[in-house]
C-alpha cells in the first residue's frame, strides 16, 4: 500500500530480517511447496528478505504505481508473483498451505486478521506488523482493560504472541505511534460448531465495554433468563473464551423478547 494510501515503509534491515526469519524459520521453509503471501509489499524491502528464505513469495499490492515499481525491481525473480488486488477481495486459499506476512494498516487490521484465520488448516502461521496498541489488544488476556472483541476473535482461532516492539524510527516516514510484531499460530479443532454465531454473541457482550454483559444483552435475551445466569453480572473483558462459550450455550435455549 503506497504512502498516498497511508502506508509507512519499514526500512530498518535488522527488523526486516527478523520478520522474514519468523515467517520462514530455518527448518520451516525448505521445500519448493512452501509459499509466503506478503500483504502490502510496498517497495519490496521485506519481499527481498522473504525471497532469501521462502521457496516462493506471492505479493498482494493494491497500489498500481507500486505494482509497476515492484515488477520492474524484481523482473528477474521467477519465484515472486505480484498480484494487483485488494487483499480483502483476493482468494488466499488458491495457493494451498501458506504463511502470511504483512505490515497491516490500522483501519483494516481486524478484517485482514479475520480473513487470514478463515484459511483454517491452510494457514501455517501469520506474522503481522501492527500498531502497538492493536498488537496489545490481539494478545490481551482476560481481566485486562485491553481485552476485547478483537482479542476473543483472534484467540478463538489462533494462539497469538507479541514477539517484539518496533519503534517509529524504523519506518520512513516515521508514524506517530510505535508498532509491534505479532505471530499467530492457528489452532486445530474449534470449540464451537457455529463460529459466526458465537462471535456475533461475543460482539454483543462487548457492545459497550464498560457495561455488564447483562445490560449489553437486554435487547436480545429475556431479562429473567439473564438474571438467573451469574456470568452476566460481569463485564465481557473479565471472561475467558471457555466462559463466554458456556454463557453462549446457556442462553441458546432461552426465550427471546
Amino acid at each position: 500500500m503506497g504512502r498516498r494510501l497511508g502506508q509507512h515503509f519499514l526500512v530498518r534491515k535488522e527488523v526486516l530480517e527478523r520478520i522474514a526469519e519468523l515467517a520462514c524459520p530455518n527448518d520451516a521453509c525448505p521445500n519448493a511447496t512452501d509459499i509466503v503471501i506478503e500483504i502490502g509489499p510496498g517497495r519490496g524491502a521485506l519481499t527481498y528478505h522473504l525471497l532469501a528464505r521462502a521457496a516462493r513469495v506471492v505479493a498482494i499490492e493494491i497500489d498500481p504505481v507500486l505494482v509497476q515499481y515492484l515488477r520492474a525491481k524484481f523482473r528477474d525473480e521467477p519465484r515472486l508473483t505480484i498480484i494487483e488486488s485488494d487483499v480483502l477481495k483476493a482468494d488466499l486459499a488458491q495457493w494451498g498451505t501458506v504463511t502470511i506476512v504483512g505490515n497491516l494498516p490500522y483501519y483494516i487490521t481486524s478484517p485482514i486478521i479475520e480473513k487470514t484465520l478463515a484459511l483454517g488448516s491452510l494457514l501455517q502461521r501469520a506474522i503481522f506488523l501492527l500498531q502497538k496498541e492493536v498488537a496489545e489488544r490481539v494478545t490481551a488476556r482476560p481481566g485486562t482493560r485491553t481485552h476485547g472483541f478483537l482479542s476473543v476473535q483472534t484467540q478463538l482461532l489462533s494462539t497469538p504472541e507479541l514477539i517484539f516492539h518496533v519503534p517509529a524510527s524504523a519506518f520512513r516516514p516515521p508514524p506517530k505511534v510505535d508498532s509491534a510484531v505479532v505471530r499467530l499460530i492457528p489452532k486445530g479443532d474449534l470449540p464451537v460448531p457455529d463460529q459466526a454465531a458465537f462471535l456475533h454473541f461475543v460482539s454483543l457482550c462487548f457492545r459497550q465495554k464498560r457495561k455488564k454483559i447483562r445490560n449489553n444483552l437486554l435487547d436480545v435475551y429475556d431479562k429473567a433468563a439473564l438474571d438467573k445466569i451469574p456470568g452476566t453480572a460481569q463485564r465481557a473483558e473479565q471472561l475467558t473464551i471457555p466462559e463466554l462459550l458456556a454463557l453462549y450455550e446457556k442462553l441458546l435455549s432461552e426465550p427471546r423478547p
Side-chain angles (χ1 to χ4, degrees):
M1 213 167 271
R3 176 69 189 120
R4 60 194 174 86
L5 297 176
Q7 176 78 339
H8 298 268
F9 296 110
L10 178 64
V11 297
R12 188 166 295 175
K13 182 180 177 182
E14 59 267 30
V15 177
L16 292 164
E17 287 181 344
R18 194 169 176 191
I19 293 173
E21 184 178 3
L22 286 167
C24 273
N26 290 329
D27 60 347
C29 294
N31 302 314
T33 55
D34 289 321
I35 298 174
V36 174
I37 295 177
E38 183 185 4
I39 296 172
R43 294 174 182 154
L46 179 57
T47 314
Y48 173 83
H49 292 277
L50 291 172
L51 285 165
R53 288 179 165 269
R56 182 182 171 198
V57 176
V58 177
I60 301 176
E61 175 57 60
I62 195 173
D63 188 330
V65 175
L66 286 173
V67 168
Q68 289 184 354
Y69 175 87
L70 290 167
R71 286 178 176 157
K73 180 176 181 177
F74 293 101
R75 60 183 175 273
D76 297 324
E77 180 48 82
R79 295 179 300 114
L80 174 64
T81 301
I82 300 167
I83 308 291
E84 183 179 339
S85 175
D86 178 346
V87 67
L88 294 178
K89 297 177 181 177
D91 176 16
L92 301 183
Q94 66 181 289
W95 293 286
T97 302
V98 294
T99 292
I100 296 186
V101 182
N103 174 12
L104 304 191
Y106 178 83
Y107 62 96
I108 54 170
T109 293
S110 182
I112 289 179
I113 289 177
E114 181 179 359
K115 185 179 180 76
T116 297
L117 294 178
L119 286 172
S121 61
L122 292 179
L123 180 67
Q124 287 187 312
R125 69 189 69 80
I127 311 298
F128 288 141
L129 181 59
L130 310 173
Q131 283 194 11
K132 180 183 174 184
E133 170 206 339
V134 180
E136 290 171 346
R137 284 166 50 204
V138 163
T139 57
R141 313 272 31 119
T144 62
R145 291 182 63 86
T146 50
H147 187 249
F149 176 74
L150 182 60
S151 317
V152 175
Q153 181 187 41
T154 306
Q155 293 170 32
L156 177 69
L157 302 175
S158 72
T159 302
E161 182 181 0
L162 197 159
I163 306 296
F164 65 97
H165 291 94
V166 180
S169 59
F171 297 83
R172 291 291 179 273
K176 295 179 180 179
V177 295
D178 289 340
S179 300
V181 171
V182 170
R183 176 173 58 203
L184 309 181
I185 303 296
K187 291 179 177 176
D189 297 333
L190 297 183
V192 53
D194 191 339
Q195 171 197 324
F198 173 63
L199 286 175
H200 175 67
F201 169 78
V202 173
S203 72
L204 294 175
C205 292
F206 279 102
R207 184 162 49 180
Q208 294 190 53
K209 202 164 180 289
R210 303 312 300 164
K211 282 191 173 183
K212 294 177 180 179
I213 291 173
R214 174 190 174 280
N215 295 331
N216 280 329
L217 297 180
L218 276 175
D219 293 340
V220 183
Y221 294 97
D222 183 75
K223 179 179 180 296
L226 292 170
D227 286 344
K228 69 183 181 183
I229 300 175
T232 63
Q234 296 178 278
R235 295 190 183 101
E237 68 186 34
Q238 298 172 280
L239 300 188
T240 64
I241 289 177
E243 288 169 338
L244 284 166
L245 183 56
L247 183 59
Y248 168 70
E249 290 173 341
K250 285 178 183 176
L251 286 169
L252 273 179
S253 58
E254 294 294 342
R256 303 286 186 102

